[in-house]
mmCIF file of all heavy atoms in Angstrom:
data_model
loop_
_atom_site.group_PDB
_atom_site.id
_atom_site.type_symbol
_atom_site.label_atom_id
_atom_site.label_comp_id
_atom_site.label_asym_id
_atom_site.label_seq_id
_atom_site.Cartn_x
_atom_site.Cartn_y
_atom_site.Cartn_z
ATOM 1 N N LEU L 98 -20.071 14.105 60.674
ATOM 2 C CA LEU L 98 -20.994 14.829 59.799
ATOM 3 C C LEU L 98 -22.197 15.249 60.615
ATOM 4 O O LEU L 98 -22.740 14.448 61.384
ATOM 5 C CB LEU L 98 -21.439 13.945 58.629
ATOM 6 C CG LEU L 98 -20.372 13.589 57.615
ATOM 7 C CD1 LEU L 98 -20.945 12.632 56.569
ATOM 8 C CD2 LEU L 98 -19.814 14.834 56.936
ATOM 9 N N LYS L 99 -22.610 16.498 60.451
ATOM 10 C CA LYS L 99 -23.766 17.020 61.164
ATOM 11 C C LYS L 99 -24.622 17.834 60.205
ATOM 12 O O LYS L 99 -24.281 18.006 59.049
ATOM 13 C CB LYS L 99 -23.319 17.904 62.343
ATOM 14 C CG LYS L 99 -22.560 17.142 63.415
ATOM 15 C CD LYS L 99 -22.170 18.046 64.558
ATOM 16 C CE LYS L 99 -21.396 17.264 65.614
ATOM 17 N NZ LYS L 99 -20.964 18.121 66.707
ATOM 18 N N GLY L 100 -25.696 18.369 60.712
ATOM 19 C CA GLY L 100 -26.592 19.193 59.910
ATOM 20 C C GLY L 100 -27.767 18.387 59.392
ATOM 21 O O GLY L 100 -27.775 17.155 59.438
ATOM 22 N N ILE L 101 -28.757 19.061 58.881
ATOM 23 C CA ILE L 101 -29.989 18.426 58.407
ATOM 24 C C ILE L 101 -29.692 17.408 57.308
ATOM 25 O O ILE L 101 -30.237 16.316 57.292
ATOM 26 C CB ILE L 101 -30.999 19.490 57.907
ATOM 27 C CG1 ILE L 101 -31.438 20.364 59.085
ATOM 28 C CG2 ILE L 101 -32.194 18.835 57.231
ATOM 29 C CD1 ILE L 101 -32.252 21.564 58.698
ATOM 30 N N THR L 102 -28.796 17.750 56.373
ATOM 31 C CA THR L 102 -28.476 16.842 55.277
ATOM 32 C C THR L 102 -27.154 16.112 55.494
ATOM 33 O O THR L 102 -26.666 15.438 54.604
ATOM 34 C CB THR L 102 -28.416 17.601 53.932
ATOM 35 O OG1 THR L 102 -27.445 18.651 54.034
ATOM 36 C CG2 THR L 102 -29.764 18.168 53.558
ATOM 37 N N ASN L 103 -26.585 16.227 56.681
ATOM 38 C CA ASN L 103 -25.314 15.577 57.021
ATOM 39 C C ASN L 103 -24.172 16.048 56.121
ATOM 40 O O ASN L 103 -23.301 15.261 55.760
ATOM 41 C CB ASN L 103 -25.460 14.057 56.934
ATOM 42 C CG ASN L 103 -25.277 13.385 58.276
ATOM 43 O OD1 ASN L 103 -25.242 14.054 59.305
ATOM 44 N ND2 ASN L 103 -25.170 12.084 58.269
ATOM 45 N N THR L 104 -24.153 17.323 55.768
ATOM 46 C CA THR L 104 -23.096 17.840 54.891
ATOM 47 C C THR L 104 -22.206 18.864 55.585
ATOM 48 O O THR L 104 -21.458 19.579 54.936
ATOM 49 C CB THR L 104 -23.692 18.455 53.607
ATOM 50 O OG1 THR L 104 -24.629 19.461 53.957
ATOM 51 C CG2 THR L 104 -24.342 17.394 52.747
ATOM 52 N N GLN L 105 -22.304 18.932 56.906
ATOM 53 C CA GLN L 105 -21.394 19.783 57.663
ATOM 54 C C GLN L 105 -20.344 18.888 58.301
ATOM 55 O O GLN L 105 -20.667 18.018 59.110
ATOM 56 C CB GLN L 105 -22.136 20.551 58.758
ATOM 57 C CG GLN L 105 -23.138 21.526 58.239
ATOM 58 C CD GLN L 105 -23.889 22.206 59.376
ATOM 59 O OE1 GLN L 105 -23.851 21.775 60.524
ATOM 60 N NE2 GLN L 105 -24.581 23.274 59.052
ATOM 61 N N LEU L 106 -19.090 19.067 57.919
ATOM 62 C CA LEU L 106 -17.994 18.275 58.474
ATOM 63 C C LEU L 106 -17.379 19.047 59.636
ATOM 64 O O LEU L 106 -16.813 20.119 59.445
ATOM 65 C CB LEU L 106 -16.940 17.998 57.397
ATOM 66 C CG LEU L 106 -15.716 17.198 57.836
ATOM 67 C CD1 LEU L 106 -16.122 15.774 58.227
ATOM 68 C CD2 LEU L 106 -14.667 17.172 56.736
ATOM 69 N N TRP L 107 -17.520 18.497 60.825
ATOM 70 C CA TRP L 107 -16.946 19.095 62.030
ATOM 71 C C TRP L 107 -15.740 18.271 62.457
ATOM 72 O O TRP L 107 -15.822 17.048 62.543
ATOM 73 C CB TRP L 107 -17.966 19.121 63.162
ATOM 74 C CG TRP L 107 -19.019 20.161 62.995
ATOM 75 C CD1 TRP L 107 -20.218 20.013 62.372
ATOM 76 C CD2 TRP L 107 -18.967 21.508 63.453
ATOM 77 N NE1 TRP L 107 -20.922 21.192 62.411
ATOM 78 C CE2 TRP L 107 -20.178 22.127 63.069
ATOM 79 C CE3 TRP L 107 -18.016 22.261 64.144
ATOM 80 C CZ2 TRP L 107 -20.458 23.447 63.360
ATOM 81 C CZ3 TRP L 107 -18.300 23.585 64.438
ATOM 82 C CH2 TRP L 107 -19.505 24.164 64.040
ATOM 83 N N CYS L 108 -14.611 18.918 62.715
ATOM 84 C CA CYS L 108 -13.386 18.224 63.130
ATOM 85 C C CYS L 108 -12.661 19.035 64.201
ATOM 86 O O CYS L 108 -12.823 20.254 64.282
ATOM 87 C CB CYS L 108 -12.416 18.069 61.950
ATOM 88 S SG CYS L 108 -12.992 17.035 60.612
ATOM 89 N N ASP L 109 -11.838 18.346 64.967
ATOM 90 C CA ASP L 109 -10.893 19.001 65.855
ATOM 91 C C ASP L 109 -9.563 19.054 65.104
ATOM 92 O O ASP L 109 -8.964 18.019 64.827
ATOM 93 C CB ASP L 109 -10.724 18.209 67.153
ATOM 94 C CG ASP L 109 -11.978 18.212 68.002
ATOM 95 O OD1 ASP L 109 -12.720 19.211 67.955
ATOM 96 O OD2 ASP L 109 -12.230 17.205 68.692
ATOM 97 N N CYS L 110 -9.139 20.254 64.747
ATOM 98 C CA CYS L 110 -7.897 20.417 63.980
ATOM 99 C C CYS L 110 -6.856 21.116 64.844
ATOM 100 O O CYS L 110 -7.125 22.155 65.449
ATOM 101 C CB CYS L 110 -8.155 21.229 62.710
ATOM 102 S SG CYS L 110 -9.252 20.391 61.550
ATOM 103 N N SER L 111 -5.677 20.527 64.895
ATOM 104 C CA SER L 111 -4.629 21.095 65.745
ATOM 105 C C SER L 111 -3.904 22.225 65.028
ATOM 106 O O SER L 111 -3.795 22.251 63.807
ATOM 107 C CB SER L 111 -3.647 20.013 66.175
ATOM 108 O OG SER L 111 -3.050 19.428 65.045
ATOM 109 N N THR L 112 -3.446 23.161 65.832
ATOM 110 C CA THR L 112 -2.669 24.288 65.316
ATOM 111 C C THR L 112 -1.691 24.734 66.398
ATOM 112 O O THR L 112 -1.870 24.413 67.577
ATOM 113 C CB THR L 112 -3.583 25.439 64.850
ATOM 114 O OG1 THR L 112 -2.813 26.400 64.146
ATOM 115 C CG2 THR L 112 -4.303 26.099 66.004
ATOM 116 N N TYR L 113 -0.703 25.451 65.986
ATOM 117 C CA TYR L 113 0.354 25.880 66.904
ATOM 118 C C TYR L 113 0.130 27.329 67.316
ATOM 119 O O TYR L 113 -0.122 28.194 66.486
ATOM 120 C CB TYR L 113 1.714 25.732 66.213
ATOM 121 C CG TYR L 113 2.895 25.933 67.128
ATOM 122 C CD1 TYR L 113 3.227 24.957 68.060
ATOM 123 C CD2 TYR L 113 3.667 27.082 67.053
ATOM 124 C CE1 TYR L 113 4.317 25.119 68.900
ATOM 125 C CE2 TYR L 113 4.756 27.248 67.885
ATOM 126 C CZ TYR L 113 5.072 26.273 68.809
ATOM 127 O OH TYR L 113 6.149 26.434 69.637
ATOM 128 N N ASN L 114 0.208 27.584 68.609
ATOM 129 C CA ASN L 114 0.087 28.929 69.139
ATOM 130 C C ASN L 114 1.505 29.493 69.300
ATOM 131 O O ASN L 114 2.233 29.122 70.212
ATOM 132 C CB ASN L 114 -0.654 28.913 70.483
ATOM 133 C CG ASN L 114 -0.887 30.295 71.032
ATOM 134 O OD1 ASN L 114 -0.170 31.247 70.714
ATOM 135 N ND2 ASN L 114 -1.907 30.417 71.864
ATOM 136 N N PHE L 115 1.884 30.376 68.395
ATOM 137 C CA PHE L 115 3.241 30.919 68.412
ATOM 138 C C PHE L 115 3.499 31.829 69.611
ATOM 139 O O PHE L 115 4.634 31.972 70.051
ATOM 140 C CB PHE L 115 3.535 31.670 67.108
ATOM 141 C CG PHE L 115 3.700 30.748 65.939
ATOM 142 C CD1 PHE L 115 2.643 30.506 65.076
ATOM 143 C CD2 PHE L 115 4.909 30.107 65.700
ATOM 144 C CE1 PHE L 115 2.786 29.640 64.002
ATOM 145 C CE2 PHE L 115 5.066 29.243 64.630
ATOM 146 C CZ PHE L 115 3.996 29.006 63.777
ATOM 147 N N SER L 116 2.448 32.436 70.156
ATOM 148 C CA SER L 116 2.661 33.362 71.278
ATOM 149 C C SER L 116 3.104 32.644 72.553
ATOM 150 O O SER L 116 3.888 33.181 73.327
ATOM 151 C CB SER L 116 1.401 34.189 71.549
ATOM 152 O OG SER L 116 0.336 33.354 71.935
ATOM 153 N N ASN L 117 2.594 31.421 72.781
ATOM 154 C CA ASN L 117 3.026 30.718 73.998
ATOM 155 C C ASN L 117 3.714 29.379 73.700
ATOM 156 O O ASN L 117 4.050 28.638 74.620
ATOM 157 C CB ASN L 117 1.849 30.517 74.969
ATOM 158 C CG ASN L 117 0.778 29.610 74.413
ATOM 159 O OD1 ASN L 117 0.968 28.945 73.397
ATOM 160 N ND2 ASN L 117 -0.366 29.590 75.075
ATOM 161 N N GLY L 118 3.909 29.052 72.415
ATOM 162 C CA GLY L 118 4.663 27.856 72.038
ATOM 163 C C GLY L 118 3.977 26.538 72.325
ATOM 164 O O GLY L 118 4.638 25.545 72.597
ATOM 165 N N THR L 119 2.640 26.502 72.263
ATOM 166 C CA THR L 119 1.914 25.258 72.527
ATOM 167 C C THR L 119 0.986 24.908 71.366
ATOM 168 O O THR L 119 0.587 25.772 70.584
ATOM 169 C CB THR L 119 1.057 25.372 73.804
ATOM 170 O OG1 THR L 119 0.104 26.427 73.625
ATOM 171 C CG2 THR L 119 1.922 25.639 75.029
#
Side-chain angles (χ1 to χ4, degrees):
L98 292 176
K99 296 181 181 178
I101 295 171
T102 57
N103 244 11
T104 56
Q105 295 177 346
L106 179 66
W107 285 91
C108 295
D109 293 329
C110 295
S111 60
T112 190
Y113 189 73
N114 184 336
F115 288 97
S116 63
N117 65 12
T119 61

